[in-house]
Amino acid sequence: IVNISDAIVMNAVPLYALLSVAIPKSYTNDDLKELAKGFKKAAKKFDIQIIGGDTISNEKLDISITIISKTSNPVLRSGIKKNDLLCYTGILGSCKEDLQKLFENKEISKKSKFIKPKLNPYFFYEIAPYITASMDISDGLFFELEKLSKASSVGFEFFNEIDESIGSSGEEYEVLFSFDEKNLEKINKIALKHKVDLNIFAKAVKGKYRTTCKNHHF
C-alpha cells in the first residue's frame, strides 16, 4: 500500500505489481499463505494485477515491490509557485507515537495507521486538476517540505508553529499538497464530499526551507 501511495500522489493509476520476497527458512506454509493473502487483499482493493517477481531464501523477511502505473497528467514536486497555499490531510503524529510504543514492546491498535496506512485515491484524483505539487508523508511533514522546497525553489511561511511530534512523524501516508488560493473553494468541496480533513498551514515564499528535526522514518 505504501508503494501504491507514491503512484497516487503523482496522479497516476497503479495497474501492476512485481513482488520480490526474501523468506526466512523458519517460515511455514501457513506463514506464506498469510503473506500471500495480504498481497492479494491489497491488490484487489486497488484493482492491481500481480504479474510476477521473485522469491529467495534469507535470514529475515525482506519485501521489495515495484508498482507500474499510468498517468496522462502527472503532479510533480516542482510545481509550487510563490503564494501557493500548503495543506496536508488528516491528523499527524499517531504513527510516531505507535512506533515508539513498539520499540518499548508495547501493544498498539490493529487499526493504527502505522500498521494499515489509509489512502484516499478518489479524493486525490478529483483535486489533482486544482493543485500545483504533491507528495505523501512517509518521512514526516518537515522532511517532505524540505524536498518540495528543493524541487520548487521556494521557502515556506508557517501560519502557526507545528510541534516536532507532528512535523517529524513518519509513515503517515497522508497527502501533502500545494495550490493556488483561487481553487480553495473547489478543493474544500471535494474534501467534504470524500470526508477528508484539510489542514492549511503555510504559504510559499521566496527562499528555501530546511528542517533541523531528526528523521523518524521507520
Side-chain angles (χ1 to χ4, degrees):
I1 289 176
V2 300
N3 288 267
I4 293 167
S5 177
D6 284 329
I8 290 171
V9 295
M10 286 190 71
N11 197 32
V13 177
L15 301 173
Y16 308 105
L18 294 164
L19 310 180
S20 293
V21 187
I23 306 165
K25 292 180 180 179
S26 60
Y27 269 49
T28 65
N29 283 340
D30 286 341
D31 292 331
L32 297 178
K33 286 178 181 178
E34 283 295 304
L35 191 61
K37 183 179 177 181
F39 287 137
K40 289 177 181 178
K41 184 178 179 181
K44 183 178 179 181
K45 182 176 181 179
F46 293 94
D47 197 24
I48 292 172
Q49 294 183 55
I50 300 173
I51 59 172
D54 193 18
T55 55
I56 60 171
S57 63
N58 197 26
E59 293 181 359
K60 64 175 182 177
L61 180 67
D62 199 350
I63 301 168
S64 178
I65 301 174
T66 299
I67 297 293
I68 301 168
S69 53
K70 184 177 181 179
T71 179
S72 58
N73 188 25
V75 177
L76 307 178
R77 303 177 181 185
S78 55
I80 305 176
K81 303 292 189 295
K82 184 181 176 182
N83 294 322
D84 276 0
L85 296 176
L86 276 294
C87 179
Y88 66 84
T89 62
I91 299 172
L92 304 180
S94 65
C95 292
K96 182 178 178 183
E97 291 177 1
D98 287 345
L99 176 58
Q100 187 58 42
K101 287 179 183 177
L102 290 173
F103 280 143
E104 295 169 1
N105 291 320
K106 296 177 181 179
E107 288 189 6
I108 63 175
S109 170
K110 291 181 180 178
K111 295 182 179 180
S112 167
K113 282 196 298 179
F114 186 81
I115 295 176
K116 293 184 177 180
K118 297 175 182 178
L119 309 185
N120 292 291
Y122 301 112
F123 160 73
F124 185 83
Y125 293 145
E126 201 165 339
I127 68 164
Y130 308 111
I131 67 177
T132 53
S134 63
M135 291 186 65
D136 61 3
I137 301 175
S138 57
D139 293 346
L141 176 65
F142 294 157
F143 302 99
E144 313 304 1
L145 285 172
E146 194 171 289
K147 296 171 192 172
L148 288 177
S149 172
K150 184 177 181 180
S152 293
S153 300
V154 295
F156 303 112
E157 181 181 295
F158 289 73
F159 300 139
N160 295 291
E161 185 177 350
I162 297 177
D163 190 86
E164 183 178 343
S165 63
I166 295 172
S168 65
S169 182
E171 313 300 341
E172 295 280 353
Y173 296 96
E174 296 289 351
V175 180
L176 168 63
F177 62 94
S178 60
F179 63 96
D180 189 309
E181 189 172 3
K182 69 182 182 182
N183 291 320
L184 176 58
E185 186 176 349
K186 292 175 182 176
I187 291 171
N188 271 329
K189 285 182 179 179
I190 296 168
L192 190 63
K193 172 184 172 182
H194 293 279
K195 299 180 181 178
V196 172
D197 293 327
L198 299 182
N199 304 276
I200 299 171
F201 66 93
K203 72 174 181 178
V205 295
K206 185 179 179 179
K208 61 182 179 180
Y209 171 83
R210 294 198 69 179
T211 181
T212 57
C213 290
K214 184 180 177 183
N215 195 319
H216 285 86
H217 188 2
F218 183 60

